[in-house]
Amino acid sequence: MIQPQLPRQAQKPDILDGIDPYELFGYSQGQKLILQDLKDKYKKFALQTHPDKNNGDARNFNIVNEAFKFLYEEYKLKQNDKQFNELKNNSNSYI
């Protein structure tokens, strides 16, 4: 059985070169991501930067979208890794 190499990381898109998605959304690099907080901040930033609203800039809107996708993927990977470790630890107790 092939075991995933933990911890895994999401691929950072090219548009985010030189931009820290964690900092953009108000997190520090190792800080735990809170999904609802992340979604709320995304909605706020998306409305502020949307090209059809508030004279937003399409490039900034794309940066916000890609940063959210990256952080959401990081969140999902960490959740999956956590569940995998819990299952692995629980299965060892039955041996």
Side-chain angles (χ1 to χ4, degrees):
M1 180 171 147
I2 298 173
Q3 300 219 358
Q5 187 177 11
L6 303 177
R8 300 175 294 171
Q9 290 185 330
Q11 287 285 45
K12 192 172 174 183
D14 292 338
I15 195 169
L16 295 178
D17 281 346
I19 298 171
D20 183 5
Y22 288 93
E23 189 176 308
L24 183 66
F25 279 87
Y27 291 99
S28 60
Q29 189 69 28
Q31 188 177 358
K32 181 180 177 182
L33 296 173
I34 300 168
L35 186 59
Q36 191 58 49
D37 182 49
L38 184 62
K39 286 181 179 181
D40 291 344
K41 288 179 181 180
Y42 168 71
K43 287 178 185 178
K44 177 183 167 189
F45 291 147
L47 282 174
Q48 288 175 353
T49 59
H50 195 281
D52 295 337
K53 309 249 184 200
N54 303 323
N55 295 324
D57 181 19
R59 185 176 189 293
N60 288 339
F61 181 70
N62 288 336
I63 288 172
V64 168
N65 279 331
E66 291 301 322
F68 173 75
K69 287 180 193 175
F70 173 80
L71 292 174
Y72 185 68
E73 184 68 21
E74 284 281 304
Y75 173 83
K76 289 192 308 184
L77 286 173
K78 287 181 181 168
Q79 291 299 316
N80 289 341
D81 290 348
K82 180 181 172 186
Q83 289 176 350
F84 175 78
N85 285 330
E86 288 173 358
L87 285 173
K88 189 171 92 172
N89 292 337
N90 288 339
S91 67
N92 288 342
S93 64
Y94 293 113
I95 296 177

Coordinates of all heavy atoms in Angstrom, one line a residue:
M1 N 0.8 -1.2 0.0 CA 0.0 0.0 0.0 C 0.9 1.2 0.0 O 1.8 1.4 0.8 CB -0.9 0.0 1.2 CG -1.8 1.2 1.3 SD -2.9 0.9 2.7 CE -3.2 2.5 3.2
I2 N 0.6 2.2 -0.9 CA 1.4 3.4 -1.0 C 0.8 4.4 0.0 O -0.4 4.7 0.1 CB 1.3 4.0 -2.4 CG1 1.9 3.0 -3.4 CG2 2.0 5.4 -2.5 CD1 1.7 3.5 -4.8
Q3 N 1.7 4.9 0.8 CA 1.3 5.9 1.9 C 1.7 7.3 1.4 O 2.7 7.5 0.8 CB 2.0 5.6 3.2 CG 1.7 4.2 3.7 CD 1.5 4.2 5.2 OE1 1.6 5.2 5.8 NE2 1.1 3.1 5.7
P4 N 0.8 8.3 1.6 CA 1.1 9.7 1.1 C 2.2 10.2 2.0 O 2.3 9.9 3.2 CB -0.2 10.4 1.4 CG -1.0 9.6 2.4 CD -0.6 8.2 2.2
Q5 N 3.0 11.1 1.4 CA 4.1 11.7 2.1 C 3.5 12.9 2.8 O 2.9 13.8 2.2 CB 5.1 12.2 1.1 CG 6.4 12.7 1.8 CD 7.4 13.1 0.7 OE1 7.2 13.1 -0.5 NE2 8.6 13.4 1.2
L6 N 3.5 12.9 4.1 CA 2.9 14.0 4.9 C 4.0 14.9 5.5 O 5.0 14.4 5.8 CB 2.1 13.4 6.0 CG 1.0 12.4 5.6 CD1 0.3 11.8 6.8 CD2 0.0 13.1 4.7
P7 N 3.8 16.1 5.7 CA 2.6 16.9 5.2 C 2.7 17.3 3.8 O 3.8 17.5 3.3 CB 2.6 18.1 6.1 CG 4.1 18.4 6.4 CD 4.7 17.0 6.4
R8 N 1.6 17.3 3.1 CA 1.5 17.7 1.7 C 1.2 19.2 1.6 O 0.8 19.8 2.6 CB 0.4 17.0 1.0 CG 0.6 15.5 1.0 CD -0.5 14.7 0.4 NE -1.7 14.9 1.3 CZ -2.9 14.5 0.9 NH1 -3.1 13.9 -0.2 NH2 -3.9 14.6 1.7
Q9 N 1.6 19.8 0.5 CA 1.3 21.2 0.3 C 0.7 21.5 -1.1 O 0.9 20.7 -2.0 CB 2.6 22.0 0.3 CG 3.2 22.1 1.7 CD 4.4 23.0 1.7 OE1 5.2 23.1 0.7 NE2 4.7 23.6 2.9
A10 N -0.2 22.5 -1.2 CA -0.8 22.9 -2.4 C 0.2 23.6 -3.3 O 1.2 24.2 -2.8 CB -2.0 23.8 -2.1
Q11 N 0.0 23.5 -4.6 CA 0.9 24.2 -5.6 C 0.4 25.7 -5.6 O -0.7 26.0 -5.8 CB 0.8 23.6 -6.9 CG 1.4 22.3 -7.1 CD 2.9 22.4 -7.1 OE1 3.5 23.2 -6.4 NE2 3.6 21.7 -8.0
K12 N 1.4 26.6 -5.5 CA 1.1 28.0 -5.5 C 1.1 28.4 -7.0 O 2.1 28.2 -7.7 CB 2.2 28.7 -4.8 CG 2.0 30.2 -4.5 CD 3.0 30.7 -3.6 CE 2.9 32.2 -3.4 NZ 3.9 32.8 -2.6
P13 N 0.0 29.0 -7.5 CA -0.1 29.5 -8.9 C 0.9 30.6 -9.2 O 1.3 31.4 -8.3 CB -1.5 29.9 -9.0 CG -2.1 30.0 -7.7 CD -1.2 29.3 -6.7
D14 N 1.2 30.7 -10.5 CA 2.2 31.7 -10.9 C 1.7 33.2 -10.6 O 2.6 34.0 -10.4 CB 2.4 31.6 -12.4 CG 3.2 30.3 -12.8 OD1 3.8 29.8 -11.9 OD2 3.1 29.9 -13.9
I15 N 0.4 33.4 -10.6 CA 0.0 34.8 -10.4 C 0.3 35.3 -9.0 O 0.3 36.4 -8.8 CB -1.6 34.9 -10.7 CG1 -2.0 36.3 -10.8 CG2 -2.4 34.2 -9.6 CD1 -3.4 36.5 -11.4
L16 N 0.6 34.3 -8.1 CA 0.9 34.7 -6.7 C 2.4 34.8 -6.5 O 2.8 34.9 -5.3 CB 0.3 33.7 -5.8 CG -1.2 33.6 -5.7 CD1 -1.7 32.5 -4.8 CD2 -1.8 34.9 -5.3
D17 N 3.2 34.9 -7.5 CA 4.6 35.1 -7.3 C 4.9 36.4 -6.6 O 4.4 37.5 -7.0 CB 5.4 35.1 -8.7 CG 5.6 33.7 -9.2 OD1 5.5 32.8 -8.4 OD2 6.0 33.6 -10.4
G18 N 5.6 36.3 -5.5 CA 5.9 37.5 -4.7 C 4.8 37.9 -3.8 O 4.9 38.9 -3.1
I19 N 3.7 37.2 -3.7 CA 2.5 37.5 -2.9 C 2.3 36.4 -1.9 O 2.2 35.2 -2.3 CB 1.2 37.8 -3.7 CG1 1.4 39.0 -4.7 CG2 0.0 38.0 -2.8 CD1 0.3 39.1 -5.7
D20 N 2.2 36.7 -0.7 CA 2.0 35.6 0.3 C 0.5 35.6 0.6 O -0.1 36.5 1.1 CB 2.7 36.0 1.6 CG 2.5 34.9 2.7 OD1 2.0 33.9 2.4 OD2 3.0 35.2 3.8
P21 N -0.2 34.5 0.1 CA -1.6 34.3 0.3 C -2.0 34.4 1.8 O -3.1 34.9 2.1 CB -2.0 33.0 -0.3 CG -0.7 32.4 -0.8 CD 0.4 33.3 -0.5
Y22 N -1.2 33.8 2.7 CA -1.5 33.9 4.1 C -1.6 35.3 4.6 O -2.5 35.7 5.3 CB -0.4 33.1 4.9 CG -0.5 31.6 4.7 CD1 0.3 31.0 3.8 CD2 -1.3 30.8 5.5 CE1 0.2 29.6 3.6 CE2 -1.4 29.5 5.4 CZ -0.6 28.8 4.4 OH -0.7 27.5 4.3
E23 N -0.6 36.1 4.2 CA -0.6 37.5 4.6 C -1.7 38.3 4.0 O -2.3 39.1 4.7 CB 0.8 38.1 4.2 CG 1.0 39.5 4.8 CD 2.4 40.0 4.4 OE1 3.4 39.3 4.6 OE2 2.4 41.2 3.9
L24 N -2.1 38.0 2.8 CA -3.2 38.7 2.1 C -4.5 38.5 2.9 O -5.3 39.4 3.0 CB -3.3 38.1 0.7 CG -4.4 38.8 -0.2 CD1 -4.0 40.2 -0.5 CD2 -4.5 38.0 -1.5
F25 N -4.7 37.3 3.5 CA -5.9 37.0 4.2 C -5.7 37.2 5.7 O -6.6 36.8 6.5 CB -6.4 35.6 3.9 CG -7.1 35.5 2.6 CD1 -6.5 35.3 1.4 CD2 -8.5 35.7 2.6 CE1 -7.2 35.3 0.2 CE2 -9.2 35.6 1.4 CZ -8.6 35.4 0.2
G26 N -4.6 37.7 6.1 CA -4.4 38.1 7.6 C -4.0 36.9 8.4 O -4.2 37.0 9.6
Y27 N -3.4 35.9 7.9 CA -2.8 34.8 8.6 C -1.3 34.8 8.6 O -0.7 35.4 7.7 CB -3.3 33.4 8.0 CG -4.7 33.1 8.1 CD1 -5.6 33.4 7.1 CD2 -5.3 32.6 9.3 CE1 -7.0 33.1 7.2 CE2 -6.6 32.3 9.4 CZ -7.4 32.5 8.4 OH -8.8 32.3 8.5
S28 N -0.7 34.2 9.7 CA 0.7 34.0 9.6 C 1.0 32.6 9.0 O 0.0 31.8 8.9 CB 1.3 34.1 11.0 OG 0.8 33.1 11.8
Q29 N 2.2 32.4 8.5 CA 2.5 31.2 7.7 C 2.1 29.9 8.4 O 1.5 29.0 7.8 CB 4.0 31.1 7.4 CG 4.3 30.1 6.4 CD 3.8 30.3 5.0 OE1 3.6 31.4 4.6 NE2 3.6 29.3 4.3
G30 N 2.3 29.7 9.7 CA 2.0 28.4 10.3 C 0.7 28.4 11.1 O 0.3 27.4 11.7
Q31 N -0.1 29.5 11.0 CA -1.3 29.6 11.7 C -2.4 28.7 11.1 O -2.5 28.5 9.9 CB -1.8 31.1 11.6 CG -3.0 31.4 12.5 CD -3.4 32.9 12.5 OE1 -2.7 33.6 11.8 NE2 -4.4 33.2 13.1
K32 N -3.2 28.1 12.0 CA -4.3 27.3 11.6 C -5.3 28.0 10.9 O -5.8 29.1 11.3 CB -4.9 26.6 12.9 CG -6.0 25.6 12.5 CD -6.6 25.0 13.8 CE -7.7 24.1 13.5 NZ -8.4 23.6 14.7
L33 N -5.7 27.5 9.7 CA -6.8 28.2 8.9 C -8.1 27.8 9.4 O -8.4 26.7 9.7 CB -6.6 27.8 7.4 CG -5.4 28.1 6.7 CD1 -5.3 27.5 5.3 CD2 -5.2 29.6 6.6
I34 N -9.0 28.8 9.6 CA -10.4 28.6 10.0 C -11.2 28.8 8.8 O -11.3 29.9 8.2 CB -10.8 29.6 11.2 CG1 -9.8 29.3 12.4 CG2 -12.2 29.4 11.6 CD1 -9.9 30.4 13.4
L35 N -11.9 27.8 8.4 CA -12.6 27.8 7.1 C -13.6 28.9 7.0 O -13.7 29.7 6.0 CB -13.3 26.4 6.8 CG -13.9 26.3 5.5 CD1 -12.9 26.5 4.3 CD2 -14.6 24.9 5.3
Q36 N -14.5 29.1 8.0 CA -15.5 30.1 7.9 C -14.9 31.5 7.8 O -15.4 32.4 7.1 CB -16.5 30.0 9.0 CG -17.8 30.9 8.9 CD -18.5 30.5 7.6 OE1 -18.8 29.4 7.3 NE2 -18.8 31.6 6.8
D37 N -13.9 31.7 8.6 CA -13.2 33.0 8.6 C -12.5 33.3 7.2 O -12.6 34.4 6.7 CB -12.1 33.0 9.7 CG -11.3 34.3 9.8 OD1 -12.0 35.4 9.8 OD2 -10.1 34.3 9.8
L38 N -12.0 32.2 6.7 CA -11.3 32.4 5.3 C -12.4 32.7 4.3 O -12.2 33.6 3.5 CB -10.6 31.0 5.0 CG -9.9 31.0 3.7 CD1 -8.7 32.0 3.7 CD2 -9.3 29.6 3.4
K39 N -13.5 32.0 4.3 CA -14.6 32.3 3.4 C -15.2 33.7 3.5 O -15.4 34.4 2.5 CB -15.8 31.3 3.6 CG -15.4 29.9 3.0 CD -16.6 29.0 3.2 CE -16.4 27.6 2.7 NZ -17.5 26.7 2.9
D40 N -15.3 34.2 4.8 CA -15.8 35.5 5.0 C -14.9 36.6 4.5 O -15.3 37.6 3.9 CB -16.0 35.8 6.5 CG -17.2 35.0 7.1 OD1 -18.0 34.5 6.3 OD2 -17.3 34.8 8.3
K41 N -13.6 36.4 4.7 CA -12.6 37.3 4.2 C -12.6 37.3 2.7 O -12.4 38.4 2.1 CB -11.2 37.0 4.8 CG -11.1 37.4 6.2 CD -9.7 37.0 6.8 CE -9.6 37.3 8.2 NZ -8.3 37.0 8.8
Y42 N -12.7 36.1 2.1 CA -12.7 36.0 0.6 C -13.9 36.8 0.1 O -13.7 37.6 -0.9 CB -12.8 34.6 0.2 CG -13.1 34.4 -1.3 CD1 -12.1 34.8 -2.2 CD2 -14.3 34.0 -1.7 CE1 -12.4 34.7 -3.6 CE2 -14.6 33.9 -3.0 CZ -13.7 34.2 -4.0 OH -13.9 34.1 -5.3
K43 N -15.1 36.6 0.6 CA -16.2 37.4 0.1 C -16.0 38.9 0.2 O -16.4 39.6 -0.7 CB -17.5 36.9 0.9 CG -18.0 35.6 0.6 CD -19.2 35.2 1.4 CE -19.6 33.7 1.2 NZ -20.7 33.3 2.0
K44 N -15.5 39.3 1.3 CA -15.2 40.7 1.5 C -14.2 41.3 0.4 O -14.5 42.3 -0.3 CB -14.7 41.0 2.9 CG -14.3 42.4 3.2 CD -13.7 42.6 4.5 CE -13.1 43.9 4.7 NZ -12.3 44.0 5.9
F45 N -13.1 40.5 0.2 CA -12.1 41.0 -0.7 C -12.6 40.9 -2.2 O -12.3 41.7 -3.0 CB -10.8 40.1 -0.6 CG -10.1 40.4 0.7 CD1 -9.4 39.4 1.3 CD2 -10.0 41.7 1.3 CE1 -8.7 39.6 2.5 CE2 -9.3 41.9 2.5 CZ -8.7 40.9 3.1
A46 N -13.4 39.8 -2.4 CA -13.9 39.6 -3.8 C -14.8 40.8 -4.2 O -14.8 41.3 -5.3 CB -14.6 38.3 -3.9
L47 N -15.7 41.2 -3.2 CA -16.6 42.3 -3.5 C -15.8 43.6 -3.7 O -16.1 44.5 -4.5 CB -17.6 42.5 -2.4 CG -18.8 41.6 -2.4 CD1 -19.6 41.7 -1.1 CD2 -19.6 41.8 -3.6
Q48 N -14.7 43.8 -2.9 CA -13.9 45.0 -3.0 C -13.1 45.1 -4.3 O -12.9 46.2 -4.9 CB -12.9 45.1 -1.9 CG -13.5 45.4 -0.6 CD -12.5 45.3 0.6 OE1 -11.3 44.9 0.4 NE2 -12.9 45.7 1.8
T49 N -12.7 44.0 -4.9 CA -11.8 44.0 -6.0 C -12.5 43.5 -7.3 O -11.9 43.5 -8.4 CB -10.6 43.0 -5.8 OG1 -11.1 41.7 -5.6 CG2 -9.8 43.5 -4.6
H50 N -13.8 43.2 -7.3 CA -14.5 42.7 -8.5 C -14.6 43.8 -9.5 O -14.9 45.0 -9.2 CB -15.9 42.3 -8.1 CG -16.6 41.5 -9.2 ND1 -17.1 42.0 -10.3 CD2 -16.8 40.1 -9.3 CE1 -17.6 41.1 -11.1 NE2 -17.4 39.9 -10.5
P51 N -14.2 43.5 -10.8 CA -14.2 44.5 -11.8 C -15.5 45.2 -12.1 O -15.5 46.3 -12.5 CB -13.8 43.7 -13.1 CG -13.2 42.4 -12.6 CD -13.8 42.1 -11.2
D52 N -16.6 44.5 -11.8 CA -17.9 45.2 -12.0 C -18.4 46.0 -10.8 O -19.5 46.6 -10.9 CB -18.9 44.1 -12.4 CG -18.6 43.4 -13.7 OD1 -17.9 44.0 -14.5 OD2 -19.1 42.3 -13.9
K53 N -17.7 45.9 -9.7 CA -18.1 46.7 -8.5 C -17.0 47.6 -8.1 O -15.8 47.3 -8.2 CB -18.4 45.7 -7.4 CG -19.3 44.5 -7.7 CD -20.6 44.7 -7.0 CE -21.4 43.4 -7.3 NZ -22.8 43.7 -7.0
N54 N -17.3 48.7 -7.6 CA -16.4 49.7 -7.0 C -15.2 50.0 -7.9 O -14.1 50.2 -7.4 CB -15.9 49.1 -5.6 CG -17.0 48.9 -4.7 OD1 -18.0 49.6 -4.6 ND2 -16.9 47.8 -3.9
N55 N -15.3 50.0 -9.2 CA -14.2 50.2 -10.1 C -13.0 49.3 -9.8 O -11.9 49.7 -9.7 CB -13.8 51.6 -10.1 CG -14.8 52.6 -10.6 OD1 -15.5 52.2 -11.5 ND2 -15.0 53.7 -10.0
G56 N -13.3 48.0 -9.5 CA -12.3 47.0 -9.1 C -11.4 46.7 -10.3 O -11.6 47.0 -11.4
D57 N -10.3 46.1 -9.9 CA -9.2 45.8 -10.9 C -9.3 44.3 -11.1 O -9.2 43.5 -10.2 CB -7.9 46.2 -10.3 CG -6.7 45.9 -11.3 OD1 -7.0 45.7 -12.5 OD2 -5.6 45.8 -10.8
A58 N -9.3 43.8 -12.4 CA -9.4 42.4 -12.7 C -8.2 41.6 -12.2 O -8.4 40.5 -11.8 CB -9.6 42.2 -14.2
R59 N -7.0 42.2 -12.3 CA -5.8 41.5 -11.8 C -5.9 41.3 -10.3 O -5.6 40.2 -9.9 CB -4.6 42.3 -12.2 CG -3.3 41.5 -11.8 CD -2.0 42.3 -12.3 NE -0.8 41.5 -12.1 CZ -0.3 41.1 -11.0 NH1 -0.9 41.3 -9.9 NH2 0.8 40.3 -11.0
N60 N -6.3 42.3 -9.6 CA -6.4 42.1 -8.1 C -7.5 41.1 -7.8 O -7.3 40.3 -6.8 CB -6.7 43.4 -7.4 CG -5.5 44.4 -7.4 OD1 -4.4 43.9 -7.6 ND2 -5.7 45.6 -7.3
F61 N -8.6 41.1 -8.5 CA -9.6 40.1 -8.3 C -9.1 38.7 -8.6 O -9.4 37.8 -7.8 CB -10.8 40.4 -9.3 CG -12.0 39.5 -9.1 CD1 -12.8 39.5 -8.0 CD2 -12.3 38.6 -10.1 CE1 -13.9 38.7 -7.8 CE2 -13.4 37.8 -10.0 CZ -14.2 37.8 -8.8
N62 N -8.3 38.5 -9.6 CA -7.8 37.2 -9.9 C -6.8 36.8 -8.8 O -6.7 35.6 -8.5 CB -7.1 37.2 -11.3 CG -8.1 37.2 -12.4 OD1 -9.2 36.8 -12.2 ND2 -7.6 37.7 -13.6
I63 N -6.0 37.7 -8.3 CA -5.1 37.4 -7.2 C -5.8 36.9 -6.0 O -5.5 35.9 -5.4 CB -4.2 38.6 -6.9 CG1 -3.2 38.9 -8.0 CG2 -3.5 38.5 -5.6 CD1 -2.4 40.1 -7.9
V64 N -6.9 37.6 -5.6 CA -7.7 37.2 -4.5 C -8.3 35.9 -4.7 O -8.3 35.0 -3.8 CB -8.8 38.3 -4.2 CG1 -9.9 37.8 -3.2 CG2 -8.2 39.6 -3.7
N65 N -8.8 35.6 -5.9 CA -9.4 34.3 -6.2 C -8.3 33.2 -6.1 O -8.6 32.1 -5.5 CB -10.0 34.2 -7.6 CG -11.3 34.9 -7.7 OD1 -12.1 34.8 -6.7 ND2 -11.7 35.4 -8.8
E66 N -7.2 33.4 -6.7 CA -6.1 32.4 -6.7 C -5.6 32.2 -5.2 O -5.3 31.0 -4.9 CB -5.0 32.7 -7.6 CG -5.4 32.6 -9.1 CD -5.9 31.3 -9.5 OE1 -5.3 30.3 -9.1 OE2 -6.8 31.2 -10.3
A67 N -5.5 33.2 -4.5 CA -5.0 33.1 -3.1 C -6.0 32.3 -2.3 O -5.6 31.4 -1.5 CB -4.8 34.5 -2.5
F68 N -7.3 32.6 -2.5 CA -8.3 31.8 -1.8 C -8.3 30.3 -2.2 O -8.3 29.4 -1.3 CB -9.7 32.4 -2.0 CG -10.8 31.5 -1.5 CD1 -11.1 31.5 -0.1 CD2 -11.6 30.7 -2.3 CE1 -12.0 30.7 0.5 CE2 -12.6 29.9 -1.7 CZ -12.8 29.9 -0.3
K69 N -8.2 30.1 -3.5 CA -8.1 28.7 -3.9 C -6.9 27.9 -3.3 O -7.0 26.8 -2.9 CB -8.0 28.6 -5.4 CG -9.2 28.9 -6.2 CD -9.0 28.8 -7.7 CE -10.1 29.4 -8.5 NZ -9.7 29.4 -9.9
F70 N -5.8 28.6 -3.2 CA -4.5 28.1 -2.7 C -4.8 27.8 -1.2 O -4.5 26.6 -0.7 CB -3.4 29.0 -2.9 CG -2.1 28.6 -2.1 CD1 -1.3 27.6 -2.7 CD2 -1.8 29.2 -0.9 CE1 -0.1 27.2 -2.0 CE2 -0.6 28.8 -0.3 CZ 0.2 27.8 -0.8
L71 N -5.3 28.7 -0.4 CA -5.5 28.5 1.0 C -6.5 27.5 1.3 O -6.4 26.7 2.2 CB -5.8 29.8 1.7 CG -4.7 30.9 1.7 CD1 -5.3 32.2 2.3 CD2 -3.5 30.4 2.5
Y72 N -7.6 27.4 0.4 CA -8.6 26.4 0.6 C -8.0 25.0 0.4 O -8.3 24.1 1.1 CB -9.8 26.7 -0.3 CG -11.0 25.8 -0.1 CD1 -11.7 25.8 1.1 CD2 -11.3 24.9 -1.1 CE1 -12.8 24.9 1.2 CE2 -12.4 24.0 -0.9 CZ -13.1 24.1 0.3 OH -14.2 23.2 0.4
E73 N -7.2 24.9 -0.7 CA -6.5 23.6 -1.0 C -5.6 23.2 0.2 O -5.6 22.0 0.6 CB -5.8 23.7 -2.3 CG -5.1 22.4 -2.7 CD -6.1 21.4 -3.1 OE1 -7.3 21.7 -3.5 OE2 -5.8 20.2 -3.1
E74 N -4.9 24.2 0.8 CA -4.0 23.9 1.9 C -4.9 23.4 3.1 O -4.5 22.4 3.8 CB -3.3 25.2 2.4 CG -2.1 25.6 1.5 CD -0.9 24.7 1.8 OE1 -0.5 24.7 3.0 OE2 -0.4 24.1 0.9
Y75 N -6.0 24.0 3.3 CA -7.0 23.6 4.4 C -7.4 22.2 4.2 O -7.4 21.4 5.1 CB -8.1 24.6 4.4 CG -9.2 24.2 5.4 CD1 -9.1 24.5 6.8 CD2 -10.3 23.5 5.0 CE1 -10.1 24.1 7.7 CE2 -11.3 23.1 5.9 CZ -11.2 23.4 7.2 OH -12.1 22.9 8.1
K76 N -7.9 21.9 2.9 CA -8.4 20.5 2.7 C -7.3 19.5 2.8 O -7.5 18.4 3.4 CB -8.9 20.5 1.2 CG -10.2 21.2 1.1 CD -10.9 20.9 -0.2 CE -10.1 21.1 -1.4 NZ -10.8 20.9 -2.7
L77 N -6.1 19.8 2.3 CA -5.0 18.8 2.5 C -4.6 18.6 4.0 O -4.4 17.4 4.4 CB -3.7 19.4 1.8 CG -3.7 19.3 0.3 CD1 -2.5 20.0 -0.3 CD2 -3.8 17.9 -0.2
K78 N -4.6 19.6 4.8 CA -4.3 19.4 6.2 C -5.4 18.6 6.9 O -5.2 17.8 7.7 CB -4.2 20.8 6.9 CG -2.8 21.4 6.5 CD -2.6 22.7 7.2 CE -1.2 23.2 6.7 NZ -1.0 24.6 7.0
Q79 N -6.7 18.9 6.5 CA -7.8 18.1 7.1 C -7.7 16.6 6.7 O -7.9 15.7 7.5 CB -9.2 18.7 6.6 CG -9.5 20.0 7.2 CD -9.6 20.0 8.7 OE1 -10.1 19.1 9.3 NE2 -8.9 21.0 9.3
N80 N -7.4 16.4 5.4 CA -7.2 15.0 4.9 C -6.1 14.3 5.6 O -6.1 13.1 6.0 CB -7.1 15.0 3.4 CG -8.3 15.3 2.7 OD1 -9.4 15.3 3.2 ND2 -8.2 15.7 1.4
D81 N -4.9 15.0 5.8 CA -3.8 14.4 6.4 C -4.1 14.1 7.9 O -3.7 13.1 8.4 CB -2.6 15.4 6.4 CG -2.0 15.5 5.0 OD1 -2.4 14.7 4.1 OD2 -1.2 16.5 4.8
K82 N -4.9 15.0 8.5 CA -5.3 14.8 9.9 C -6.1 13.5 10.0 O -5.9 12.7 10.9 CB -6.0 16.0 10.4 CG -6.5 15.9 11.9 CD -7.2 17.2 12.3 CE -7.8 17.0 13.6 NZ -8.7 18.1 14.0
Q83 N -7.1 13.4 9.1 CA -8.0 12.2 9.1 C -7.2 11.0 8.8 O -7.4 9.9 9.4 CB -9.1 12.4 8.1 CG -10.1 13.5 8.6 CD -11.2 13.7 7.5 OE1 -11.1 13.2 6.4 NE2 -12.2 14.5 7.9
F84 N -6.3 11.0 7.9 CA -5.4 9.9 7.6 C -4.7 9.4 8.8 O -4.6 8.2 9.1 CB -4.5 10.2 6.4 CG -3.5 9.1 6.1 CD1 -4.0 8.0 5.4 CD2 -2.2 9.2 6.5 CE1 -3.1 7.0 5.1 CE2 -1.3 8.2 6.2 CZ -1.8 7.1 5.5
N85 N -4.0 10.4 9.5 CA -3.2 10.0 10.7 C -4.1 9.4 11.8 O -3.7 8.5 12.5 CB -2.5 11.2 11.2 CG -1.3 11.6 10.3 OD1 -0.7 10.7 9.7 ND2 -0.9 12.8 10.3
E86 N -5.3 10.0 11.9 CA -6.2 9.4 12.9 C -6.7 8.0 12.6 O -6.7 7.1 13.5 CB -7.5 10.3 13.1 CG -7.2 11.6 13.8 CD -8.4 12.6 13.7 OE1 -9.4 12.3 13.1 OE2 -8.3 13.7 14.3
L87 N -7.0 7.8 11.3 CA -7.3 6.4 10.9 C -6.2 5.5 11.1 O -6.3 4.3 11.5 CB -7.8 6.4 9.4 CG -9.2 7.0 9.2 CD1 -9.4 7.1 7.7 CD2 -10.2 6.1 9.8
K88 N -5.0 5.9 10.7 CA -3.8 5.1 10.8 C -3.5 4.7 12.3 O -3.3 3.6 12.6 CB -2.6 5.8 10.2 CG -1.4 4.9 10.1 CD -0.3 5.6 9.3 CE 0.6 6.4 10.3 NZ 1.8 7.0 9.7
N89 N -3.7 5.7 13.2 CA -3.5 5.5 14.6 C -4.5 4.6 15.2 O -4.2 3.7 16.0 CB -3.4 6.8 15.4 CG -2.2 7.6 15.0 OD1 -1.2 7.1 14.6 ND2 -2.2 8.9 15.3
N90 N -5.8 4.7 14.7 CA -6.8 3.9 15.2 C -6.7 2.5 14.7 O -7.0 1.5 15.4 CB -8.2 4.5 14.8 CG -8.6 5.7 15.6 OD1 -8.0 5.9 16.7 ND2 -9.5 6.5 15.1
S91 N -6.3 2.3 13.5 CA -6.1 1.0 12.9 C -5.0 0.2 13.6 O -5.0 -1.0 13.8 CB -5.9 1.0 11.4 OG -4.6 1.6 11.1
N92 N -4.0 0.9 14.1 CA -2.9 0.3 14.8 C -3.3 -0.2 16.1 O -2.7 -1.2 16.6 CB -1.7 1.2 15.0 CG -1.0 1.5 13.7 OD1 -1.1 0.7 12.7 ND2 -0.2 2.6 13.6
S93 N -4.3 0.4 16.7 CA -4.8 -0.1 18.0 C -5.6 -1.4 18.0 O -5.7 -2.1 19.0 CB -5.6 1.0 18.7 OG -6.8 1.2 18.0
Y94 N -6.0 -1.8 16.8 CA -6.8 -3.0 16.6 C -5.9 -4.2 16.3 O -6.4 -5.3 16.3 CB -7.8 -2.8 15.6 CG -8.9 -1.9 15.9 CD1 -9.0 -0.7 15.2 CD2 -9.8 -2.1 17.0 CE1 -10.0 0.2 15.6 CE2 -10.8 -1.2 17.3 CZ -10.9 0.0 16.6 OH -11.8 0.9 17.0
I95 N -4.6 -4.0 16.1 CA -3.7 -5.1 15.7 C -3.4 -5.9 16.9 O -3.1 -5.4 18.0 CB -2.5 -4.5 15.0 CG1 -2.9 -3.9 13.7 CG2 -1.5 -5.6 14.7 CD1 -1.8 -3.2 12.9

